Every structure is written in structure tokens, then in C-alpha cells.
Amino acid sequence: MKARDRAWEGFTRRVLAGEILPGQFVTQRELAEITGYPLGAIRELVPRLEAEGLIVTAPQRGLQVAQADLKLVRNAFQFREFLEVPAVRHYARVADPGELAGLRAEHEAVIERRTEEDDNWLMQDAELVDLRLHEAIIGSLDNEIVSNAYRVNWIKIKLIRLAETRLYVPMIPQVMGEHLKVIHALERRDADAAAEAVRSHIDVARRRAVDI
């Protein structure tokens, strides 16, 4: 893997960890310090981040991470729906029953943990379980172009979530419940129900993000 590709991985990890925030101004040198990669790799990385819409160059101010504004919300969630609804129809036909059972068990376990106190890892684990379902849906297409585009868009969704003022933990039962509707439809091989459940889930998330 080339240095600029490793730097991209480092950048996305920092975004997912909440260490790089929407609208934040950074210099190339600061990005090198944040990601832990050399300045040369960062210089090569910047054009890719700009092309993907993850940063913009602000004259006299350096680089600005994408802002979680209404335009980003509309574009990111619309693109997400374009990808996920057809993908989940395909997944309903090809999903391995064991994989679906595992996804269902993970979601049910997260909901069960919601009642426990002092579970400092709950939010992080819930987000990982959340991502695993969506990646399984997109991954079923076995299309590298779609998967890469989805991952970039997921980072934008993460930036939108970082801008939300409300806590994520209280929403866990609702989000996991929406996911379980998708999983139950998939287990029944009901492509129409799975597509509608995904569309509804994305619409709820989009409407919540509009309030950021």
C-alpha cells in the first residue's frame, strides 16, 4: 500500500474516532501530526480528499474538513439510499443464513446491554454493529467501485453524526430496532420488505440529521 493510501486510512480512522471534526481548519503539517504520516504523504493525499469532498482548500486559512450543512446531509443520504436499497434487494437473495443469524444476535446483544450501567464501550460497539450490517449489504454486491464509494460516503455520514448535539446512546434501541426489521425481512427472503425497511431507516436518520 502506498504512503498516500496509508495516510488516507489514517485520516478516516481519525474521523471515525471523532479526532477530526466537521468544519475544522487544519494545515498539512497538522494533518501529518494527527494521522502520524509524513508530510510528503499528506501532500499527495490532499488532492484525493478534495476530489472526494472530504476537505476543501480555504484561501489564507488552510484546509477545511467538510461541514455538516444541509447540502451535505441531502447529498450524502440521497446517495446512501441510491446504493443501499438496490443492494439490500440483492442481499435478500444471496445472504447466508448463518451470517444473518450472527447479525441479529449482535443487534439483540447491543439492545440488551442498553439496560446496563457504566457500559463505556456501548456506543462504540453499537456503531461497529451498525456498520457491519450496512457493509454486509453493500459487500454482497462484490463490487469494489461501489464499496469504495460507499465507504467515502459513510465517512461523510460520520461527520454529520459528529455535528449532532444529541447523544447517540439513548437512540440505540430505536436504531437497532430499525436494523432488526431489515434483518428479519432478510431472513424471510422478503426483498420488498427489506428495501422498505432500509429506505425508512435512512429517512429517519436523514430527518434527524436535518436538526443538527
Side-chain angles (χ1 to χ4, degrees):
M1 184 181 291
K2 296 180 179 179
R4 67 172 178 268
D5 295 327
R6 293 197 299 271
W8 189 89
E9 294 287 347
F11 175 85
T12 58
R13 282 197 300 271
R14 297 304 184 274
V15 169
L16 296 175
E19 297 173 16
I20 297 177
L21 301 175
Q24 178 180 344
F25 286 94
V26 293
T27 65
Q28 290 187 8
R29 191 170 300 280
E30 287 171 336
L31 270 182
E33 294 174 356
I34 291 170
T35 62
Y37 287 94
L39 190 57
I42 297 301
R43 290 192 179 118
E44 294 183 10
L45 170 67
V46 167
R48 175 178 177 178
L49 295 178
E50 288 181 312
E52 292 173 340
L54 293 172
I55 63 170
V56 295
T57 299
Q60 310 301 322
R61 302 194 68 179
L63 306 171
Q64 184 180 24
V65 181
Q67 297 190 69
D69 55 18
L70 289 177
K71 181 179 179 181
L72 180 62
V73 170
R74 180 180 67 83
N75 291 347
F77 281 95
Q78 185 180 65
F79 189 56
R80 181 179 171 186
E81 184 173 337
F82 285 166
L83 294 180
E84 284 196 53
V85 172
V88 81
R89 287 183 176 277
H90 174 75
Y91 193 43
R93 296 193 297 271
V94 304
D96 177 75
E99 181 178 46
L100 293 176
L103 289 168
R104 173 166 43 78
E106 287 181 342
H107 283 73
E108 291 170 345
V110 167
I111 293 175
E112 185 68 24
R113 285 172 57 189
R114 174 67 181 86
T115 63
E116 300 176 6
E117 296 182 359
D118 301 325
D119 192 338
N120 296 326
W121 295 99
L122 177 58
M123 178 173 164
Q124 178 177 322
D125 291 347
E127 289 188 328
L128 289 174
V129 169
D130 179 291
L131 181 57
R132 267 198 288 273
L133 173 62
H134 293 289
E135 286 188 333
I137 292 170
I138 294 297
S140 72
L141 297 174
D142 194 24
N143 186 311
E144 187 175 341
I145 294 174
V146 172
S147 293
N148 288 341
Y150 186 82
R151 186 173 184 190
V152 171
N153 198 60
W154 186 266
I155 295 168
K156 294 175 182 177
I157 297 289
K158 177 64 176 180
L159 287 170
I160 292 168
R161 286 180 176 173
L162 289 172
E164 292 182 11
T165 56
R166 68 190 72 183
L167 294 176
Y168 182 76
V169 170
M171 297 188 301
I172 286 176
Q174 176 186 345
V175 174
M176 295 293 106
E178 292 167 6
H179 277 206
L180 284 171
K181 288 182 181 179
V182 176
I183 294 170
H184 291 154
L186 290 169
E187 290 182 315
R188 299 194 308 271
R189 304 297 177 181
D190 189 336
D192 289 340
E196 183 54 37
V198 164
R199 186 178 289 109
S200 176
H201 172 57
I202 293 173
D203 186 58
V204 169
R206 179 191 58 77
R207 285 187 280 110
R208 184 168 58 241
V210 168
D211 293 332
I212 61 176

